[in-house]
Amino acid sequence: MITIILNHQPYDGSDVTWNALRLASTLHKNGEDVNIFLMNDAVDLARDKTLKPDSYDYDLVSILKKLYNGGVALQACGTCNARCGIFKNEPYFDDKISSTMHVLSDWVVKSNQVLTF
């Protein structure tokens, strides 16, 4: 099991989030169990209200949804929902992904590797 923790605003002018999602996709395709935990401003990635800027090549929310629907485990910090991101207090695209530090802690302990972006 590999846990990937994202912290950055999805469309921050860098490819940090895109590269994390590419890695998660490749690991999953290679048969790895992949967990993605969104914290801090990365929680905007789990909000339908987050739209791809015209200047950006990839719709990161759609990529995340495809990974989630394809079996990648996804959780987003419940506390960060109200505190972080551009769209504070906006709902996540699935209520089931709102999570806690307890879940992240369990994932970290059980994972063979933990990566942060």
Side-chain angles (χ1 to χ4, degrees):
M1 179 187 313
I2 299 170
T3 295
I4 299 173
I5 302 169
L6 282 80
N7 288 286
H8 289 261
Q9 178 62 37
Y11 299 108
D12 67 354
S14 74
D15 285 336
V16 171
T17 301
W18 181 62
N19 284 320
L21 295 175
R22 288 177 48 219
L23 177 59
S25 177
T26 302
L27 289 166
H28 185 66
K29 285 177 187 172
N30 289 338
E32 297 292 335
D33 291 326
V34 178
N35 301 326
I36 296 175
F37 197 95
L38 306 176
M39 299 182 73
N40 299 314
D41 290 343
V43 297
D44 276 346
L45 191 58
R47 294 179 168 134
D48 283 325
K49 192 163 188 162
T50 303
L51 303 177
K52 179 187 89 58
D54 291 337
S55 61
Y56 210 82
D57 295 334
Y58 301 98
D59 184 334
L60 301 177
V61 175
S62 292
I63 293 170
L64 181 66
K65 283 182 178 181
K66 183 177 178 183
L67 289 169
Y68 177 58
N69 292 326
V72 169
L74 174 64
Q75 296 286 278
C77 178
T79 302
C80 296
N81 184 35
R83 298 177 53 86
C84 300
I86 294 169
F87 302 112
K88 292 175 179 65
N89 291 314
E90 290 292 326
Y92 295 141
F93 59 71
D94 186 338
D95 291 338
K96 295 178 212 160
I97 66 171
S98 186
S99 195
T100 65
M101 276 297 147
H102 181 75
V103 170
L104 179 57
S105 174
D106 285 346
W107 279 5
V108 167
V109 169
K110 293 175 183 173
S111 290
N112 297 327
Q113 294 175 323
V114 177
L115 308 170
T116 61
F117 285 83

